[in-house]
């Protein structure tokens, strides 16, 4: 028998317990889009014949350990739940991954205290000044010459048990494509608008960020912030306007997507009310800190499931392997550090090597297996399925922003990657490339490298195209590079 109760928001957790007790031969339980917060602790014992368990779009924060006893289960859908134990990224991989997580948890665990916070908004709205204020810098107002190019990453201690991993996104439209890998729905998204621009006429400049967030991070928690509040006298209605417009646009995008695809998507969670912030006002910055802390500590269900998760100690050991590579840059030296116990976890290393910026995914698995065999096999952290543990840990650290992956490579130093990208996407290049003052220097530079006048003309055109659109043609520019 199959039981379908999808969309029944008035059912309680006791309803599911009654089903588990009264229907022991149940083969399918489909409860999509309800309000259930927990599965019965003994579900694996009560429903031994269960083949389908579909609980997408509920409020589950933890799974009962008995769930791994559902030996006949072929379909398990837990998407769009604020799962923390195990983390959703692991739970959606199926029963084997869930079982492995619980087994690793038994060997020891730590609680995550790092919250990824992403600052987005148009150029020159004060995002970096807000980051400086959160970091308690004495002069937080950012100078114009030091504006954010592409992306800056900084860790800031908010209080004793909460660290912000801040991703400060430059607001120029040219930067958006390169910022996509850093945006996900585990982060707290702070979207900023200047007080004087909190108007209908200006909102189209904000729309692109809301559209991006809904596409890349459905269900993300979004905190609207109105900055530079000394610019206006009617601040309160502008704050209400900004919050309302962000929420209305998210709902509109959601409805359009559902009509086009025929399936539901999760809207953004827009925090109310919008905050008015001035970096010159310590009180307003403290209110911002308090709101962030409150959001991070909310439970039943948690709004930000990436914080306060219990993380198996073995997953932390994966970070230690990554940290050794990032610090030493040489795989043999990294393994030596791991063997003698001097390696630090990624994010805690004091120095970084340019040669440790990235590694192929497969190479990292090889090193992890070697570490498990040489070192962990002699401890109480002995790992029987190292590849499964590695993949689960990597998926978790990717979701939390500790690392970035692309095309089979794992980038161990996201801040270094942004440093490399920054000169290529600098919005100030456009005016410089078009400047007649700088071109003679470019011409002299390339003439020294053997290019004739015809090649220089082609290079100049292709360089301008690259700066304006990011496109590299297969002609003079590619050959020169």
């Amino acid at each position: 028998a199959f039981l379908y109760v999808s969309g029944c928001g008035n059912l309680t957790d006791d309803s599911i317990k009654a089903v588990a007790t009264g229907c022991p031969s149940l083969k399918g339980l489909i409860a999509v889009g309800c309000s259930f917060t927990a599965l019965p602790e003994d579900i694996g014992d009560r429903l031994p014949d269960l083949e389908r368990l579909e609980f997408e779009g509920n409020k589950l924060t933890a799974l009962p350990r008995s769930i791994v006893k559902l030996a006949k289960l072929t379909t398990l859908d837990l998407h769009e739940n604020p799962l923390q134990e195990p983390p959703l990224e692991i739970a959606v991989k199926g029963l084997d991954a869930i079982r492995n997580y619980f087994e690793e948890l038994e060997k020891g665990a730590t609680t995550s205290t790092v919250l990824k916070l992403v600052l987005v908004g148009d150029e020159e709205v004060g995002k970096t000044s807000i980051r400086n204020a959160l970091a308690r810098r004495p002069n937080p107002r950012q100078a114009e010459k030091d504006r954010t190019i592409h992306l800056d990453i900084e860790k800031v201690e908010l209080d004793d048990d909460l660290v912000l991993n801040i991703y400060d996104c430059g607001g120029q439209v040219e930067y958006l494509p390169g910022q996509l890998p850093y945006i996900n729905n585990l982060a707290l998204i702070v979207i900023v608008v200047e007080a004087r621009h909190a108007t209908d006429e200006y909102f189209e400049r904000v729309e692109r960020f809301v559209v991006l967030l809904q596409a890349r991070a459905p269900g993300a928690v979004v905190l609207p912030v109105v900055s530079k509040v000394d610019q206006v006298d009617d601040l309160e209605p502008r704050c209400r306007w900004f919050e309302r417009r962000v929420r209305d646009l998210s709902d509109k995008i959601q409805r359009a997507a559902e009509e086009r695809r025929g399936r539901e998507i999760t809207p953004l969670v827009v925090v109310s009310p919008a905050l008015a912030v001035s970096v010159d006002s310590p009180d307003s910055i403290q209110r911002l800190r308090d709101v962030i802390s409150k959001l991070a500590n909310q439970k039943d269900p948690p709004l930000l499931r990436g914080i306060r998760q219990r993380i198996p100690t073995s997953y932390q050991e994966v970070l230690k392997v990554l940290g050794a590579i990032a610090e030493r840059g040489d795989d043999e030296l990294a393994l030596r550090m791991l063997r003698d116990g001097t390696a630090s976890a990624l994010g805690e290393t004091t120095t970084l090597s340019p040669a440790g910026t990235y590694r192929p995914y497969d190479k990292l698995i090889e090193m992890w297996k070697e570490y498990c065999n040489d070192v962990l096999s002699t401890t109480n952290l002995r790992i029987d399925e190292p590849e499964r543990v590695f993949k689960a840990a990597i998926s978790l650290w990717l979701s939390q922003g500790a690392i970035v992956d692309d095309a089979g490579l794992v980038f161990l130093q996201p801040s270094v990657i942004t440093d490399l990208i920054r000169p290529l996407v600098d919005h100030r290049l456009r005016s410089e490339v078009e400047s007649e003052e700088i071109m003679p220097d470019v011409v002299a530079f390339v003439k020294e490298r053997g290019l004739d006048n015809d090649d220089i003309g082609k290079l100049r055109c292709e360089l301008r195209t690259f700066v304006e659109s990011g496109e590299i043609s297969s002609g003079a520019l590619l050959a020169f590079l």
Side-chain angles (χ1 to χ4, degrees), residues 214 244-268:
Q214 185 64 74
R244 185 186 72 252
R245 287 301 305 267
V246 171
R247 180 179 287 108
D248 289 350
L249 180 57
S250 174
D251 292 343
K252 179 181 177 182
I253 295 168
Q254 179 201 15
R255 290 193 299 272
E258 290 172 0
E259 291 173 3
R260 187 169 62 253
R261 299 178 187 175
R263 63 181 296 270
E264 293 185 1
I265 63 171
T266 307
L268 301 173

Short mmCIF file of all heavy atoms in Angstrom, two decimals, residues 214 244-268:
data_model
loop_
_atom_site.label_atom_id
_atom_site.label_comp_id
_atom_site.label_asym_id
_atom_site.label_seq_id
_atom_site.Cartn_x
_atom_site.Cartn_y
_atom_site.Cartn_z
N GLN A 214 17.78 33.78 -6.84
CA GLN A 214 16.71 32.80 -6.97
C GLN A 214 17.13 31.64 -7.86
O GLN A 214 16.75 30.48 -7.62
CB GLN A 214 15.46 33.47 -7.55
CG GLN A 214 14.24 32.56 -7.61
CD GLN A 214 13.77 32.11 -6.24
OE1 GLN A 214 13.18 32.87 -5.50
NE2 GLN A 214 14.02 30.85 -5.90
N ARG A 244 9.90 44.80 0.61
CA ARG A 244 8.72 44.36 -0.14
C ARG A 244 9.09 44.04 -1.59
O ARG A 244 8.67 43.00 -2.14
CB ARG A 244 7.63 45.43 -0.11
CG ARG A 244 6.32 44.99 -0.76
CD ARG A 244 5.31 46.12 -0.83
NE ARG A 244 5.68 47.12 -1.82
CZ ARG A 244 6.12 48.35 -1.53
NH1 ARG A 244 6.24 48.73 -0.27
NH2 ARG A 244 6.43 49.19 -2.48
N ARG A 245 9.89 44.87 -2.22
CA ARG A 245 10.23 44.65 -3.62
C ARG A 245 11.07 43.39 -3.80
O ARG A 245 10.89 42.65 -4.77
CB ARG A 245 10.98 45.87 -4.17
CG ARG A 245 10.12 47.12 -4.40
CD ARG A 245 8.98 46.87 -5.39
NE ARG A 245 9.41 46.34 -6.65
CZ ARG A 245 9.70 47.09 -7.73
NH1 ARG A 245 9.57 48.41 -7.66
NH2 ARG A 245 10.07 46.53 -8.86
N VAL A 246 12.01 43.16 -2.90
CA VAL A 246 12.83 41.94 -2.99
C VAL A 246 11.95 40.70 -2.86
O VAL A 246 12.05 39.75 -3.64
CB VAL A 246 13.94 41.94 -1.91
CG1 VAL A 246 14.64 40.58 -1.88
CG2 VAL A 246 14.95 43.03 -2.20
N ARG A 247 11.04 40.71 -1.87
CA ARG A 247 10.16 39.56 -1.66
C ARG A 247 9.21 39.37 -2.84
O ARG A 247 9.02 38.23 -3.32
CB ARG A 247 9.38 39.73 -0.37
CG ARG A 247 8.45 38.56 -0.08
CD ARG A 247 7.67 38.72 1.22
NE ARG A 247 8.54 38.53 2.37
CZ ARG A 247 8.95 39.50 3.17
NH1 ARG A 247 8.58 40.75 2.93
NH2 ARG A 247 9.73 39.26 4.19
N ASP A 248 8.62 40.45 -3.34
CA ASP A 248 7.67 40.35 -4.46
C ASP A 248 8.36 39.82 -5.71
O ASP A 248 7.78 39.00 -6.43
CB ASP A 248 7.05 41.73 -4.76
CG ASP A 248 6.07 42.16 -3.68
OD1 ASP A 248 5.74 41.33 -2.81
OD2 ASP A 248 5.67 43.34 -3.71
N LEU A 249 9.59 40.28 -5.97
CA LEU A 249 10.30 39.81 -7.17
C LEU A 249 10.64 38.33 -7.03
O LEU A 249 10.51 37.56 -8.00
CB LEU A 249 11.56 40.63 -7.39
CG LEU A 249 12.40 40.23 -8.62
CD1 LEU A 249 11.57 40.28 -9.90
CD2 LEU A 249 13.63 41.12 -8.74
N SER A 250 11.06 37.90 -5.85
CA SER A 250 11.35 36.48 -5.63
C SER A 250 10.12 35.62 -5.88
O SER A 250 10.18 34.58 -6.55
CB SER A 250 11.88 36.26 -4.21
OG SER A 250 12.03 34.88 -3.94
N ASP A 251 8.97 36.08 -5.36
CA ASP A 251 7.72 35.33 -5.56
C ASP A 251 7.34 35.30 -7.03
O ASP A 251 6.87 34.27 -7.54
CB ASP A 251 6.60 35.97 -4.74
CG ASP A 251 6.79 35.79 -3.24
OD1 ASP A 251 7.61 34.93 -2.85
OD2 ASP A 251 6.14 36.53 -2.47
N LYS A 252 7.55 36.42 -7.73
CA LYS A 252 7.23 36.48 -9.15
C LYS A 252 8.09 35.51 -9.96
O LYS A 252 7.59 34.80 -10.84
CB LYS A 252 7.44 37.92 -9.66
CG LYS A 252 7.15 38.11 -11.13
CD LYS A 252 7.41 39.57 -11.54
CE LYS A 252 7.20 39.76 -13.04
NZ LYS A 252 7.49 41.17 -13.44
N ILE A 253 9.38 35.48 -9.65
CA ILE A 253 10.29 34.56 -10.34
C ILE A 253 9.88 33.12 -10.06
O ILE A 253 9.87 32.27 -10.96
CB ILE A 253 11.74 34.80 -9.89
CG1 ILE A 253 12.20 36.20 -10.31
CG2 ILE A 253 12.67 33.74 -10.47
CD1 ILE A 253 13.50 36.61 -9.66
N GLN A 254 9.52 32.84 -8.81
CA GLN A 254 9.10 31.49 -8.44
C GLN A 254 7.87 31.06 -9.23
O GLN A 254 7.84 29.95 -9.80
CB GLN A 254 8.80 31.44 -6.95
CG GLN A 254 8.33 30.06 -6.47
CD GLN A 254 7.58 30.13 -5.15
OE1 GLN A 254 7.17 31.21 -4.73
NE2 GLN A 254 7.37 28.99 -4.51
N ARG A 255 6.86 31.92 -9.30
CA ARG A 255 5.63 31.57 -10.03
C ARG A 255 5.90 31.35 -11.50
O ARG A 255 5.39 30.40 -12.10
CB ARG A 255 4.58 32.66 -9.83
CG ARG A 255 4.00 32.73 -8.41
CD ARG A 255 2.77 33.60 -8.38
NE ARG A 255 3.05 34.97 -8.78
CZ ARG A 255 3.44 35.93 -7.95
NH1 ARG A 255 3.59 35.67 -6.66
NH2 ARG A 255 3.67 37.16 -8.39
N ALA A 256 6.72 32.23 -12.08
CA ALA A 256 7.04 32.09 -13.51
C ALA A 256 7.78 30.79 -13.78
O ALA A 256 7.51 30.10 -14.78
CB ALA A 256 7.87 33.28 -13.97
N ALA A 257 8.70 30.44 -12.90
CA ALA A 257 9.46 29.20 -13.08
C ALA A 257 8.56 27.98 -12.96
O ALA A 257 8.69 27.00 -13.71
CB ALA A 257 10.60 29.13 -12.06
N GLU A 258 7.62 28.03 -12.01
CA GLU A 258 6.71 26.91 -11.83
C GLU A 258 5.80 26.74 -13.04
O GLU A 258 5.52 25.61 -13.46
CB GLU A 258 5.88 27.12 -10.57
CG GLU A 258 6.69 26.98 -9.28
CD GLU A 258 5.91 27.39 -8.04
OE1 GLU A 258 4.74 27.78 -8.20
OE2 GLU A 258 6.47 27.32 -6.93
N GLU A 259 5.35 27.86 -13.62
CA GLU A 259 4.49 27.78 -14.80
C GLU A 259 5.26 27.23 -16.00
O GLU A 259 4.75 26.45 -16.79
CB GLU A 259 3.93 29.16 -15.12
CG GLU A 259 2.93 29.67 -14.10
CD GLU A 259 2.52 31.11 -14.35
OE1 GLU A 259 3.01 31.67 -15.38
OE2 GLU A 259 1.75 31.67 -13.56
N ARG A 260 6.54 27.63 -16.08
CA ARG A 260 7.35 27.22 -17.23
C ARG A 260 7.81 25.77 -17.11
O ARG A 260 7.78 25.00 -18.07
CB ARG A 260 8.56 28.14 -17.36
CG ARG A 260 9.39 27.90 -18.61
CD ARG A 260 10.42 28.99 -18.82
NE ARG A 260 11.39 29.05 -17.74
CZ ARG A 260 11.43 30.00 -16.80
NH1 ARG A 260 10.53 30.97 -16.82
NH2 ARG A 260 12.36 30.00 -15.86
N ARG A 261 8.20 25.36 -15.91
CA ARG A 261 8.75 24.02 -15.72
C ARG A 261 7.72 23.01 -15.21
O ARG A 261 7.95 21.80 -15.25
CB ARG A 261 9.90 24.07 -14.70
CG ARG A 261 11.05 24.96 -15.13
CD ARG A 261 12.10 24.97 -14.04
NE ARG A 261 13.17 25.92 -14.31
CZ ARG A 261 14.16 26.20 -13.46
NH1 ARG A 261 14.21 25.59 -12.30
NH2 ARG A 261 15.09 27.07 -13.77
N GLY A 262 6.60 23.52 -14.68
CA GLY A 262 5.60 22.61 -14.15
C GLY A 262 5.98 22.00 -12.82
O GLY A 262 5.44 20.97 -12.43
N ARG A 263 6.92 22.58 -12.11
CA ARG A 263 7.30 22.07 -10.79
C ARG A 263 7.61 23.24 -9.86
O ARG A 263 7.96 24.33 -10.30
CB ARG A 263 8.52 21.15 -10.86
CG ARG A 263 9.78 21.83 -11.35
CD ARG A 263 10.94 20.85 -11.42
NE ARG A 263 11.31 20.35 -10.10
CZ ARG A 263 12.20 20.95 -9.31
NH1 ARG A 263 12.81 22.05 -9.72
NH2 ARG A 263 12.50 20.44 -8.14
N GLU A 264 7.47 22.97 -8.57
CA GLU A 264 7.69 24.02 -7.59
C GLU A 264 9.18 24.28 -7.38
O GLU A 264 10.00 23.38 -7.48
CB GLU A 264 7.05 23.62 -6.25
CG GLU A 264 5.54 23.57 -6.29
CD GLU A 264 4.95 23.31 -4.92
OE1 GLU A 264 5.73 23.18 -3.96
OE2 GLU A 264 3.71 23.24 -4.81
N ILE A 265 9.52 25.52 -7.11
CA ILE A 265 10.87 25.86 -6.68
C ILE A 265 10.75 26.64 -5.37
O ILE A 265 9.70 27.20 -5.06
CB ILE A 265 11.64 26.69 -7.73
CG1 ILE A 265 10.96 28.05 -7.95
CG2 ILE A 265 11.79 25.96 -9.03
CD1 ILE A 265 11.79 29.00 -8.79
N THR A 266 11.82 26.65 -4.61
CA THR A 266 11.78 27.26 -3.29
C THR A 266 12.09 28.75 -3.39
O THR A 266 13.14 29.13 -3.93
CB THR A 266 12.81 26.59 -2.36
OG1 THR A 266 12.60 25.19 -2.37
CG2 THR A 266 12.67 27.11 -0.94
N PRO A 267 11.23 29.61 -2.87
CA PRO A 267 11.50 31.05 -2.93
C PRO A 267 12.60 31.43 -1.93
O PRO A 267 12.93 30.67 -1.02
CB PRO A 267 10.17 31.69 -2.53
CG PRO A 267 9.53 30.66 -1.65
CD PRO A 267 9.95 29.33 -2.20
N LEU A 268 13.14 32.61 -2.11
CA LEU A 268 14.09 33.14 -1.15
C LEU A 268 13.37 33.43 0.17
O LEU A 268 12.19 33.77 0.18
CB LEU A 268 14.72 34.43 -1.69
CG LEU A 268 15.47 34.32 -3.02
CD1 LEU A 268 15.89 35.71 -3.51
CD2 LEU A 268 16.67 33.41 -2.90
#
